[in-house]
Amino acid sequence: SKELELKTTLRELVIYVFFLTDLCILTFGMVSTDMYYLNKVMARLFLEASSEDTGNSFRSIGSRDDFWRFAEGPLLDGLYWDKWYNNTTLTVQNNSHIYYENLLLGVAQIRQLKVRNNTCSIYPYFRTFLEGCYGEYRYRAEDRSDFGLNNASEWKYTSASSLSPWYWGSIGLYSSGGYIFTLPKLKQESMEKLVFLRQNSWLTRGTRVVFIDFSTYNANVNLFCIIRLVVEFPATGGALTSSHIYSVKLFRYITYYDYFLASCEIAFCLFIITFIIQEAIKIVKLKKEYFRSAYNWLDLLLLVVSILAIAFNIYRTVEVSLLMEKLLSDTHVYPDFYFLAFWQVLYNNMIAVNVFFAWIKIFKYVSFNKTMTQLSSTLYRCAKDIIGFAIMFFIIFFAYAQLGYLVFGSQVEEFSTFQNCIFTQFRIVLGDFNFETVEAANRVLGPIYFITFVFFVFFVLLNMFLAIINDTYSEVKADFEVIPSQELPIRDLFRQ
């Protein structure tokens, strides 16, 4: 009966509100504003230029010479803090405290990847003028042979673990091996080593990327900060810079609030076990009919993501407890916290997706409300019309994207790749667009492209989309006016 259905829905809604509250406490307990401020502090120190080193900042690197100037200047100045602001020596020796609060864990590591010579084809007329050819980075073209002085690890290729994550850079996907060296504990020794490598041409024409990795720990806020500075040397020449700064909480259970979060984690696991049993019973009863409901698919997706998040959490906790002592046992080696930070960030992303779907699922329990039913019925009725419209819309949209990429791609950053063209056109629809750059790239096709795109996509197609939804909503609203409202039975149930 309707009354039984409403009672069941309301009871499930109350239980689900408790689950959602528990999930939100968990997720928001993992993050804090301290993470943002710590990232900002490290970015200001290592990425931005100071008043004294205007041309030596990380973001101003444009060549191999600039890289060495940055490494021997701002990088070492940022890594080694052995003096207080009044030039008195810090009490803790042999350890650097960046900004006096962030302990540098171990030492920093610098790694490069190279490609072999003759990894590209040279036109026959130019072979007499060119001695070698170093193509763009590919895993199969990677150079793994010894070079240079051949008497230390920085001149020999080091293979990495198969579990180590690859790095997705601006222009390539890079493996986790390479030619590696670590900086000594003392600033003067690090300076001498960098000068020695520069004078002996550690960076070559085949160098395609250099990684600078180091980690810090701030006990005041119980946060690890894992920093990776990346300098890519494309086959075109020059250099491109990028960076990743992760502030993560690897020590989970220290304060009383952390133990409260641990109890919420246990409650979350119990909720998931209960939901798994409920969905299994539904599948057994409904069989194929179960998979015809979009809400049931949403339930399954929420359960799968939750199970993966629980597995991630257990794996991360075990790995941290096993690796922490090993990583910190020798202060003269590089502790690879990037591996842990990478999986921690993936875990946080998975939890964020989980929270998103958990909030979307609320629509399942409020569907008995007349307004919500009208909205869902509107989307259901106009689905076929929207699909037909979407085919026409994206044919025109992608046609303009290809036109923009071919005409402006070599001169305008927003059109430099096909993906950028798609994002740029969505920005045009929202009114965020720089017309002057397109006009400067092509004074004839630029204005034509802009005017016709705005006319056909913004004025015509988007208004057609709104007209489809508006017309369907009017029909649904007229149909629902003749249906008796269920709001009074719901009020009676709440009173009971």
Side-chain angles (χ1 to χ4, degrees):
S1 64
K2 280 289 182 182
E3 183 178 348
L4 180 60
E5 182 182 354
L6 288 174
K7 283 184 178 181
T8 305
T9 303
L10 290 175
R11 184 172 61 250
E12 290 181 355
L13 176 59
V14 172
I15 296 174
Y16 189 75
V17 167
F18 283 108
F19 165 74
L20 193 59
T21 304
D22 181 72
L23 180 59
C24 289
I25 293 174
L26 279 179
T27 52
F28 289 100
M30 296 189 311
V31 298
S32 67
T33 54
D34 294 327
M35 294 180 175
Y36 168 76
Y37 293 125
L38 183 56
N39 290 346
K40 187 176 181 179
V41 163
M42 292 301 173
R44 183 185 298 119
L45 177 62
F46 291 101
L47 304 183
E48 300 176 5
S50 63
S51 58
E52 300 176 357
D53 300 312
T54 306
N56 294 337
S57 68
F58 177 76
R59 287 175 174 158
S60 65
I61 294 177
S63 65
R64 290 172 175 82
D65 294 336
D66 293 339
F67 169 79
W68 288 116
R69 280 194 291 270
F70 165 77
E72 296 170 16
L75 177 63
L76 295 185
D77 294 338
L79 286 176
Y80 298 97
W81 291 56
D82 52 1
K83 299 286 186 180
W84 193 247
Y85 61 86
N86 58 358
N87 287 329
T88 58
T89 304
L90 293 175
T91 56
V92 181
Q93 299 295 328
N94 297 325
N95 286 306
S96 175
H97 288 73
I98 300 173
Y99 280 118
Y100 314 113
E101 303 293 344
N102 302 280
L103 174 65
L104 178 65
L105 302 176
V107 293
Q109 173 185 277
I110 299 180
R111 173 171 65 96
Q112 74 157 319
L113 291 173
K114 301 167 52 182
V115 294
R116 298 187 304 271
N117 193 2
N118 299 321
T119 51
C120 51
S121 301
I122 303 176
Y123 196 70
Y125 292 159
F126 290 93
R127 289 175 182 171
T128 57
F129 303 100
L130 300 174
E131 298 179 358
C133 177
Y134 297 86
E136 60 185 14
Y137 177 84
R138 300 187 307 276
Y139 182 70
R140 293 185 177 181
E142 189 176 302
D143 188 1
R144 299 180 180 86
S145 59
D146 299 343
F147 76 106
L149 300 181
N150 232 347
N151 58 357
S153 62
E154 53 262 33
W155 309 99
K156 298 178 181 180
Y157 185 85
T158 302
S159 300
S161 170
S162 58
L163 296 177
S164 299
W166 285 31
Y167 179 81
W168 187 7
S170 301
I171 56 176
L173 183 64
Y174 303 100
S175 68
S176 50
Y179 300 88
I180 303 172
F181 72 92
T182 57
L183 296 177
K185 293 288 290 184
L186 299 179
K187 182 177 181 180
Q188 183 60 35
E189 295 179 4
S190 299
M191 175 67 76
E192 293 173 357
K193 186 163 190 174
L194 290 173
V195 171
F196 173 77
L197 293 175
R198 172 172 56 83
Q199 292 175 349
N200 289 275
S201 301
W202 187 67
L203 296 183
T204 66
R205 285 183 60 196
T207 300
R208 285 294 168 260
V209 65
V210 176
F211 299 94
I212 303 173
D213 295 295
F214 54 94
S215 306
T216 66
Y217 175 68
N218 191 312
N220 301 336
V221 291
N222 187 27
L223 288 178
F224 287 83
C225 188
I226 293 86
I227 302 171
R228 167 165 286 185
L229 308 179
V230 184
V231 183
E232 297 177 75
F233 300 96
T236 57
L240 300 173
T241 60
S242 58
S243 62
H244 283 276
I245 301 177
Y246 299 130
S247 291
V248 294
K249 186 178 181 180
L250 297 180
F251 293 144
R252 296 295 305 279
Y253 310 113
I254 296 179
T255 64
Y256 290 113
Y257 180 69
D258 294 334
Y259 287 104
F260 168 71
L261 292 179
S263 64
C264 292
E265 291 176 353
I266 296 174
F268 177 78
C269 294
L270 296 177
F271 273 118
I272 295 301
I273 293 173
T274 304
F275 292 154
I276 290 175
I277 296 174
Q278 288 181 351
E279 296 305 314
I281 294 174
K282 286 183 181 179
I283 292 175
V284 171
K285 286 184 177 181
L286 301 178
K287 297 180 180 179
K288 293 182 179 180
E289 292 293 327
Y290 175 87
F291 299 99
R292 294 184 179 179
S293 172
Y295 286 121
N296 291 337
W297 281 104
L298 183 61
D299 292 339
L300 291 178
L301 182 61
L302 182 63
L303 288 177
V304 169
V305 176
S306 299
I307 293 171
L308 290 177
I310 293 172
F312 253 3
N313 195 18
I314 296 174
Y315 169 78
R316 187 271 319 278
T317 304
V318 173
E319 282 296 310
V320 169
S321 61
L322 292 177
L323 294 179
M324 193 63 63
E325 184 177 355
K326 177 182 177 182
L327 292 174
L328 301 179
S329 59
D330 188 356
T331 59
H332 292 81
V333 300
Y334 164 70
D336 188 9
F337 283 98
Y338 184 82
F339 173 77
L340 294 176
F342 177 80
W343 290 107
Q344 176 67 36
V345 170
L346 282 184
Y347 170 76
N348 293 346
N349 294 342
M350 183 172 295
I351 286 293
V353 173
N354 201 22
V355 173
F356 172 79
F357 286 121
W359 279 98
I360 295 298
K361 188 181 173 182
I362 291 182
F363 287 106
K364 174 182 179 180
Y365 299 108
V366 297
S367 58
F368 53 77
N369 182 269
K370 185 176 181 180
T371 304
M372 295 297 176
T373 308
Q374 287 180 0
L375 295 176
S376 59
S377 299
T378 300
L379 296 177
Y380 179 78
R381 283 198 192 183
C382 66
K384 292 183 179 180
D385 294 332
I386 290 178
I387 292 174
F389 166 80
I391 294 174
M392 178 179 63
F393 175 83
F394 283 109
I395 287 175
I396 298 176
F397 191 84
F398 286 124
Y400 272 102
Q402 295 178 51
L403 174 64
Y405 174 64
L406 295 174
V407 176
F408 316 116
S410 61
Q411 301 180 56
V412 183
E413 181 181 359
E414 288 82 0
F415 293 89
S416 57
T417 65
F418 188 70
Q419 294 87 344
N420 285 351
C421 292
I422 295 174
F423 297 139
T424 300
Q425 291 187 163
F426 278 116
R427 289 170 56 191
I428 294 175
V429 173
L430 297 175
D432 180 16
F433 186 68
N434 189 354
F435 175 72
E436 288 78 9
T437 57
V438 172
E439 186 182 26
N442 194 310
R443 302 186 65 177
V444 177
L445 290 179
I448 294 175
Y449 164 85
F450 179 75
I451 293 172
T452 56
F453 179 82
V454 170
F455 177 77
F456 286 110
V457 176
F458 185 74
F459 288 109
V460 178
L461 294 180
L462 287 184
N463 283 286
M464 287 178 59
F465 175 75
L466 295 176
I468 292 172
I469 295 180
N470 187 41
D471 185 58
T472 308
Y473 180 73
S474 300
E475 296 177 359
V476 171
K477 193 173 182 180
D479 294 341
F480 269 78
E481 287 180 354
V482 299
I483 299 177
S485 176
Q486 297 179 352
E487 292 180 0
L488 290 178
I490 293 174
R491 292 176 183 174
D492 295 338
L493 286 175
F494 272 118
R495 290 195 188 99
Q496 295 176 11

